[in-house]
Every structure is written in C-alpha cells, then in structure tokens.
Amino acid sequence: MAITKVMHMKASGKARMDIHLKHAVNYILQPKKLGDANLAGGINCLPDTAYEQMKSTKQMFGKAGGRQGYHFVLSLKPGEGTPEIMYDIAIRFAEKAFGGEYETVVAVHTDRNHLHAHIIINSVNMVTGYKFQYHEGDWKYKFQPITKARSLLSYRQAITISILLQISILRSLSASTSPISKAQAQIKYLKLYHKY
C-alpha cells in the first residue's frame, strides 16, 4: 500500500474560514468518484453532515481559525483489492491513527485504475478541544508504521491468497469435464477462501 498524499486545509478569508474543509468533504463524497461501490462512511460523524458537525466542534471549543482539517489518501496498486477491502483498510487506518477522537470522513474512489481512499479529519479533537498536530517526520514515524501493521497487511495477504486460490480452482475446473468434479472444486475453493 502506498500513501499518495497528506495535506492540510488552511483557513481562508474571514467570511468563510472553513470553505476549504467544506470543498474537501464535498469532493470526496462526489457520486462520480465513488462509482457503483458507493462506499463512504464516518467515524464520530455522518458523511452527509460531517462538515456541519466539524464546524460545530470548532465553534464549541473556540477553534474556528487556523488549520481546518487534514486530508490523507491511501492507495492500492492497480488491480489490487476490492472497494470493500479498500474501505476496511481506510477505516482501520483512521481508527488507529486518530484514536477515535476526531470527526473523520472516509470515501473510496473507484474512478482511477487503482483503488484509493480519501480520509478527512477535523483539525479539532472532539474530546479535548486540542488541535491535531502534524509535524515533519510524523508520516515516517507515526503513520507509515500503521499502514504496515499486521491488521492492515492481512488484507493484502488475503488478496494474494484469494487470487492464487481462484487460479487454482479455474485450472481444476477447466481440466475437469465432470459436473461433480467442478462442484467439488468450487466447494474446496469456498472452504479455503473462508479461512482467510
């Protein structure tokens, strides 16, 4: 898995300080980007009202200025995974990286030749009111290890195993002419697949 971007959203002019946050949330939730999979969700907020909830948290703690949020992008290699696996990886990453204390929106985009998930977090911790701190080097020492965590990598391993099993079953099916042999091969595949 590769991270393609980590960005922050600054406050804009005094009239609409949080406009960049609003645009970012609207961008990742575009139906044309989500495609048929339509996988979007939130942690501590609902995707459709995430911007308003984030804005309310900022106002509650008196932290409407400065950085408005952070935008992470997680990507899989072309042809790797499914939208559901990408969504699960992104949710797990967000839970581990942000400790469940930030309003977070996650959306899987299927509009490119590779699956990628966008994660937007509020800059204000909804429990403590402190602003999220991201410093140079945090990616390497704080976030990159999460992407290599066993719980996230197990999905990559499952993808590889699934592909190998599918190839094996297809070979068995193509070599067999008997309907019983084909059914046995499918049952064997299902039993092996569900182990992972």
Side-chain angles (χ1 to χ4, degrees):
M1 179 180 351
I3 298 296
T4 55
K5 296 178 193 172
V6 179
M7 303 164 280
H8 65 270
M9 292 155 266
K10 293 181 180 178
S12 70
K14 293 199 183 241
R16 294 292 310 270
M17 267 192 259
D18 54 8
I19 195 70
H20 297 302
L21 178 63
K22 183 175 184 175
H23 286 301
V25 171
N26 288 341
Y27 168 77
I28 72 167
L29 295 175
Q30 287 181 38
K32 68 180 182 181
K33 299 284 185 182
L34 298 172
D36 292 336
N38 196 27
L39 291 171
I43 300 170
N44 301 317
C45 64
L46 299 170
D48 293 339
T49 59
Y51 162 71
E52 289 82 9
Q53 288 175 267
M54 291 178 184
K55 186 175 176 178
S56 293
T57 299
K58 291 176 193 313
Q59 290 170 346
M60 182 172 70
F61 288 106
K63 304 259 175 104
R67 289 192 177 169
Q68 298 296 300
Y70 291 81
H71 186 167
F72 293 76
V73 181
L74 301 172
S75 301
L76 293 177
K77 294 177 184 174
E80 186 176 55
T82 66
E84 294 78 14
I85 288 172
M86 183 77 256
Y87 180 78
D88 199 41
I89 288 171
I91 287 288
R92 287 173 184 253
F93 173 85
E95 287 170 345
K96 289 182 184 207
F98 313 119
E101 294 187 351
Y102 293 86
E103 289 133 332
T104 306
V105 182
V106 175
V108 175
H109 286 190
T110 59
D111 61 330
R112 305 273 171 127
N113 69 343
H114 65 282
L115 292 171
H116 58 285
H118 293 263
I119 302 167
I120 293 179
I121 68 162
N122 192 358
S123 61
V124 178
N125 183 308
M126 60 183 270
V127 177
T128 65
Y130 292 127
K131 285 243 181 168
F132 181 78
Q133 299 294 313
Y134 184 87
H135 303 286
E136 187 154 344
D138 278 357
W139 178 251
K140 183 177 180 181
Y141 298 108
K142 186 175 179 181
F143 297 110
Q144 189 68 29
I146 295 171
T147 65
K148 294 180 178 183
R150 186 179 184 104
S151 60
L152 297 181
L153 281 181
S154 64
Y155 287 101
R156 290 188 75 179
Q157 294 164 345
I159 292 166
T160 303
I161 291 166
S162 175
I163 291 168
L164 294 173
L165 288 172
Q166 288 175 18
I167 291 168
S168 172
I169 297 306
L170 288 173
R171 286 183 182 154
S172 297
L173 290 174
S174 64
S176 174
T177 55
S178 162
I180 293 172
S181 297
K182 288 181 182 180
Q184 288 172 335
Q186 288 173 339
I187 290 168
K188 180 180 175 185
Y189 167 73
L190 289 173
K191 284 180 180 176
L192 288 171
Y193 182 76
H194 288 289
K195 281 184 179 179
Y196 304 96

